[in-house]
Amino acid sequence: MFRIVVCDDELLYLERLQTFLLRYAKKNGLDFELLPFTSADQLLVRYPDNVDLLFLDIAMPGVDGMAAAKEIRKYDTSVCIIFITTMYQYAIEGYAVRAFGFIKKPIREAELQHELTCALSAIEDKRAKEHVISIRCAGELHRIPISHISYCEVRNHQILVHTDSDVYQTRMSITEFEEKLAPLGFFRCHSSFLVNGDYIKRIGVTELELRDGSLVPISQRRRKDFLSEISEYLGGKI
């Protein structure tokens, strides 16, 4: 299943794009969950979790698509972005947000199919290379995709691994987790907490807010190194 966001203020194009996508899905035996938005402002306020692909109009009232993409990249570094535009002059600016491609208005189904095929292939390749971690919990072995883990914490001499849908408890130490996960975009913000950089929504003075609303503390002793590491990971200054 692919979770696809479509954002365009022109209802004609929004509906046409959804029609093309559903026709592509039916033709190729795929399952698409389509999430339509009519403004970038609305999208930023209600940005969904676990989006695979984002079709984003550039020229919109209020926050335009390029500005929205820059904001989205602060907390979603993995979504595949395809811009919808009347002019390709935005292509160079699109590199700053790692745009996958551009579709020119008026949307032609053949062009959409080509971009979509390439994008889905890239997404599936990424899924195939997905890292997993194995942990033993209550006598059972669980294999958890790294991208599903939001953070880990020490509690009562055990590690709680928080994921999108569950919490796993294991006796592995936080140091062991850090050794495994640090090369994969996880950061030690506190002696008892390890957080997935892709889940960070806001960095405050004493705590982090994650995409699901969870709050994770930042220790003063680790704050400077943490900010430096996460800034380098996200490719910008905090």
Side-chain angles (χ1 to χ4, degrees):
M1 198 265 285
F2 295 92
R3 205 163 198 223
I4 302 175
V5 167
V6 182
C7 183
D8 196 318
D9 65 304
E10 297 181 85
L11 291 181
L12 173 65
Y13 286 112
L14 188 67
E15 292 171 359
R16 180 179 297 175
L17 185 51
Q18 290 182 90
T19 297
F20 290 165
L21 289 169
L22 291 175
R23 191 148 61 204
Y24 181 99
K26 183 176 181 180
K27 178 181 177 181
N28 294 278
L30 299 173
D31 183 12
F32 287 174
E33 179 185 3
L34 302 185
L35 304 169
F37 290 85
T38 55
S39 74
D41 301 86
Q42 180 190 53
L43 174 63
L44 291 176
V45 171
R46 297 168 47 202
Y47 188 77
D49 290 331
N50 304 315
V51 180
D52 295 303
L53 180 57
L54 168 59
F55 286 95
L56 184 59
D57 185 24
I58 292 181
M60 288 187 284
V63 178
D64 66 41
M66 191 63 70
K70 291 176 181 177
E71 187 65 26
I72 288 169
R73 278 291 183 234
K74 294 179 181 178
Y75 49 82
D76 189 344
T77 59
S78 62
V79 64
C80 183
I81 299 176
I82 295 178
F83 284 113
I84 305 167
T85 180
T86 55
M87 295 173 288
Y88 284 133
Q89 66 190 47
Y90 295 99
I92 294 177
E93 192 174 355
Y95 284 114
V97 293
R98 301 192 302 283
F100 185 85
F102 292 79
I103 295 177
K104 192 173 182 179
K105 288 183 175 180
I107 300 171
R108 293 185 297 114
E109 190 166 9
E111 182 181 4
L112 171 66
Q113 289 178 352
H114 173 74
E115 288 291 334
L116 186 56
T117 298
C118 293
L120 295 182
S121 177
I123 292 169
E124 288 181 328
D125 284 347
K126 182 178 178 181
R127 288 179 175 180
K129 298 174 182 176
E130 173 72 278
H131 293 280
V132 298
I133 186 170
S134 298
I135 64 171
R136 191 164 294 281
C137 177
E140 298 179 345
L141 188 66
H142 295 265
R143 287 173 53 80
I144 306 172
I146 297 301
S147 62
H148 292 189
I149 300 174
S150 54
Y151 70 101
C152 308
E153 65 169 310
V154 178
R155 189 185 299 176
N156 297 327
H157 306 292
Q158 297 207 16
I159 296 292
L160 298 185
V161 181
H162 296 259
T163 72
D164 297 330
S165 58
D166 213 336
V167 179
Y168 299 88
Q169 185 170 303
T170 183
R171 290 192 175 278
M172 188 183 296
S173 72
I174 192 76
T175 301
E176 290 178 272
F177 262 94
E178 185 175 17
E179 290 174 355
K180 293 176 180 292
L181 300 181
L184 303 174
F186 282 70
F187 302 89
R188 191 82 168 268
C189 58
H190 186 284
S191 60
S192 299
F193 288 84
L194 187 66
V195 65
N196 185 340
D198 289 339
Y199 274 74
I200 296 174
K201 179 179 180 181
R202 176 183 61 84
I203 300 178
V205 176
T206 60
E207 65 186 14
L208 305 171
E209 181 182 358
L210 305 186
R211 291 190 329 226
D212 62 0
S214 298
L215 299 177
V216 176
I218 307 174
S219 69
Q220 288 303 307
R221 186 173 69 84
R222 291 182 179 269
R223 179 177 171 79
K224 182 178 179 180
D225 289 342
F226 169 76
L227 290 178
S228 176
E229 291 169 0
I230 196 67
S231 179
E232 182 178 353
Y233 176 72
L234 295 177
K237 295 183 179 180
I238 296 175

